[in-house]
Amino acid sequence: MARMKVGIVGCGNIGTDLCNALREGSIPAEVVALTDVDLARAESLLYAQQLTARVCGLEENVFASDFVVECAEPSAVKAVVEACIRHKKDCLIMSLGGLLGDPGLLDRARENGILVKLPSGAICGLDGVRSAKEAGLEKVTLTTRKPPKGLVGAPYLVENNIDVENLTEPTVVFEGTALEAVKAFPKNVNVAAGLSLAGVGPEKTTVRVIADPTSNANSHEVVAEGAFGRLCATTDNMPSPRNPKSSYLASLSACAELRAAALTFENRNR
């Protein structure tokens, strides 16, 4: 039986975790292509994982694959989805913030019969938010709390000369819409994009970012209110061992989505 061929775009933290999961054998799929703007990083992953995949450009990657996983950065999302549309391939988009910059991208994919899978990422409760939306949502708020080292270098902090490394107590460093948040913290609040897509949209979802020197975890609290009642879901994530800006649960959600896609592919091709 043919195994699903996977193309990975972005060979960093999540890409590595996906390769680890595939190597363990519990996901009926194989990596056939790796793409990264940093060629050395893609080659390093290839050799470290002892893959038989090819290191190539985006078009070749998508053409060679049955399913594409984007785990690079928001700026890569549009090109990945458009390549999947051209080559008629389904995909998983991990950098959800990249979808907010082009509101019609998901519609174009859908019109062309392309399935764009969106992960839950580093938060829980999105299923409840989607369900509650059916009766109308009045308010959706995300409060993200992270150790300062996980926020260092964020564009918003740099542009506003905000020093988080010398904080002695929890401090709110940002409050605004999800659309503003993903631009301000493109590597830190991908969850804001996922929540906004599930709920009331990027301009109506409120996001607060707290730098907390007393915390060792990345915490996300979702509060949604509407005709259904009130939902409150808090997720305390351990940072990824390789990247303090990313939560381990984000990688696990990628693995779960890839497994589901591989099993669907397997059932279709029995």
Side-chain angles (χ1 to χ4, degrees):
M1 183 181 298
R3 292 161 66 86
M4 187 176 77
K5 298 176 182 178
V6 179
I8 294 178
V9 181
C11 299
N13 185 60
I14 293 178
T16 299
D17 285 336
L18 284 171
C19 287
N20 286 335
L22 287 165
R23 188 170 58 181
E24 291 172 357
S26 62
I27 301 176
E30 61 177 324
V31 178
V32 297
L34 298 173
T35 299
D36 198 289
V37 292
D38 184 343
L39 182 62
R41 183 162 58 181
E43 291 178 339
S44 177
L45 181 59
L46 178 75
Y47 295 127
Q49 296 286 334
Q50 299 181 329
L51 301 172
T52 56
R54 68 187 77 176
V55 173
C56 56
L58 178 60
E59 290 295 326
E60 185 178 352
N61 183 316
V62 177
F63 178 79
S65 307
D66 297 314
F67 187 79
V68 179
V69 180
E70 177 282 319
C71 47
E73 57 183 30
S75 62
V77 169
K78 182 178 180 180
V80 171
V81 175
E82 289 180 339
C84 288
I85 292 173
R86 285 193 294 274
H87 295 286
K88 302 299 181 182
K89 304 295 174 68
D90 293 340
C91 60
L92 168 63
I93 298 299
M94 295 303 298
S95 305
L96 295 178
L99 295 172
L100 302 191
D102 188 343
L105 193 58
L106 287 176
D107 290 334
R108 294 200 298 277
R110 191 177 301 110
E111 290 164 1
N112 283 275
I114 304 304
L115 174 63
V116 179
K117 293 178 71 67
L118 309 180
S120 56
I123 57 175
C124 298
L126 293 188
D127 54 342
V129 172
R130 290 192 189 97
S131 298
K133 184 180 178 181
E134 292 296 317
L137 285 166
E138 298 169 1
K139 180 180 180 182
V140 179
T141 301
L142 169 69
T143 300
T144 289
R145 184 183 299 265
K146 290 198 173 192
K149 66 179 181 180
L151 296 170
V152 172
Y156 181 83
L157 300 183
V158 174
E159 293 166 8
N160 291 279
N161 197 29
I162 299 174
D163 177 18
V164 295
E165 294 185 89
N166 296 305
L167 293 176
T168 58
E169 60 184 23
T171 302
V172 177
V173 294
F174 172 86
E175 185 163 2
T177 67
L179 186 61
E180 294 167 337
V182 297
K183 294 177 181 178
F185 300 87
K187 296 183 178 181
N188 304 102
V189 292
N190 200 44
V191 292
L195 177 61
S196 69
L197 290 169
V200 294
E203 295 181 346
K204 294 182 179 180
T205 303
T206 299
V207 178
R208 298 171 71 237
V209 178
I210 300 174
D212 187 353
T214 69
S215 176
N216 294 317
N218 298 328
S219 173
H220 304 292
E221 181 186 60
V222 174
V223 176
E225 299 176 12
F228 77 100
R230 184 175 187 272
L231 175 154
C232 182
T234 300
T235 311
D236 293 326
N237 294 287
M238 294 307 297
S240 168
R242 288 181 300 274
N243 182 4
K245 292 181 171 62
S246 178
S247 298
Y248 185 35
L249 186 59
S251 288
L252 297 179
S253 75
C255 294
E257 292 291 352
L258 181 58
R259 178 177 288 103
L263 291 173
T264 297
F265 179 89
E266 186 178 63
N267 289 333
R268 286 176 179 170
N269 292 276
R270 286 186 184 280

